[in-house]
Amino acid sequence: MGVYRGIVRRPGGVRGLTTIPGDDGVTILVATLVGVKGVLVLIRAGGTLFAYWWSLRWIAAFLVRGSHRSRGTMKRRPGISACALLTCLLAGCGGGGAESFLDAQAMAQLREVVSKEQPRLPDGFTIRPEQAWRMPFGQADRNCRAVLEPAGGQAPGQALTAQAAVSYLGDGLGEQAGVGLARYANQEAEEHLDALSEAMRNCREVHTSSGTDMLLHELPIEQAVQQAADDAVGARFSGRLNGYPYALDVVLARVGDTLVSVVHTGMNDVDTERTRKVVEAAISMVNA
């Protein structure tokens, strides 16, 4: 429970935490927050945590409508009502609900895909996945963060139905690959890639007080990647990370309704050919 208090960071902490176990490693946690007029719903799928917030006013309106409809010979059952409310919240019904909804089955499928060993990765990479990649610097403008966050499992949330992220260690100095898959409804994946492409054009440098200075350069997309994806953009960060030579390739691609995000890092330099192979391996996960 301390973990969720740290995430929520609301006055008074969390009260009334309820855990609803689900299939395929999906866990739903419902919590009311002390001193705040609303309900927080946390959904944990593997190593990814999704948070949704609804005001008590909207919930009350939903319950009032539900009670009017349920009048008659059928006795109302609180457990069913709670489940119906939770289902409606997750589905974003009621007009003013959530901007996205999570499909538990789709999340389980993506989690299963990324948890498998990936023999298509370049030689020298571990084929067994590890935890999601994390940005090596905490400070960056919103455009640069927007470009890098999807590879770490923090893809744009609008119309998001499922996402999963993993990383792989390479045999080069500081070499690591991060892969993030995010699935969307309503053709939103295309819109998100357009927005991320714009963010990539507006991200020019990363500078921190700890000795990180990196510039962004265009990374040409290989023909093989262009043929495998519906659309793709790429960039390279190069410079110094905490005073040491560092490079990072990032490629964002769309395959149907899925956004594929890849980062490939290394000290001194990054092999473009190995980046291409990592991207191809990530795209193959979508088609698996």
Side-chain angles (χ1 to χ4, degrees), residues 117-123 127 277-278 280-285:
E117 296 182 349
Q118 296 298 328
R120 296 190 59 175
L121 288 168
D123 292 340
I127 60 176
K277 292 181 178 180
V278 173
E280 290 178 345
I283 291 176
S284 70
M285 297 181 193

Side-chain angles (χ1 to χ4, degrees), residues 103-124:
D103 184 329
Q105 182 178 1
M107 285 198 299
Q109 289 174 346
L110 279 189
R111 184 166 175 259
E112 181 182 3
V113 167
V114 300
S115 66
K116 294 180 179 179
E117 296 182 349
Q118 296 298 328
R120 296 190 59 175
L121 288 168
D123 292 340

Side-chain angles (χ1 to χ4, degrees), residues 19 26 35 45 91 113 137 164 167 185 197 199-200 207 228 241 248 270 283 286:
T19 302
V26 177
V113 167
F137 39 81
S167 65
S197 300
M200 185 176 290
H207 174 75
L241 174 67
L248 182 156
V270 174
I283 291 176
V286 179

Side-chain angles (χ1 to χ4, degrees), residues 83-116:
C83 291
L85 172 60
L86 181 58
T87 301
C88 184
L89 291 175
L90 297 180
C93 61
E99 294 182 346
S100 62
F101 62 92
L102 296 175
D103 184 329
Q105 182 178 1
M107 285 198 299
Q109 289 174 346
L110 279 189
R111 184 166 175 259
E112 181 182 3
V113 167
V114 300
S115 66
K116 294 180 179 179

Side-chain angles (χ1 to χ4, degrees), residues 11 104 109 112 130 154 174 216 219 254 287:
Q109 289 174 346
E112 181 182 3
E130 300 190 8
Q154 300 181 57
L216 190 72
L219 180 69
R254 181 180 66 85
N287 300 322

Side-chain angles (χ1 to χ4, degrees), residues 30-33 36-41 52-56 59 89:
V30 183
T32 56
L33 307 181
V36 182
K37 298 180 179 179
V39 172
L40 176 71
V41 177
Y52 292 88
W53 168 261
W54 290 272
S55 68
L56 290 181
I59 296 173
L89 291 175

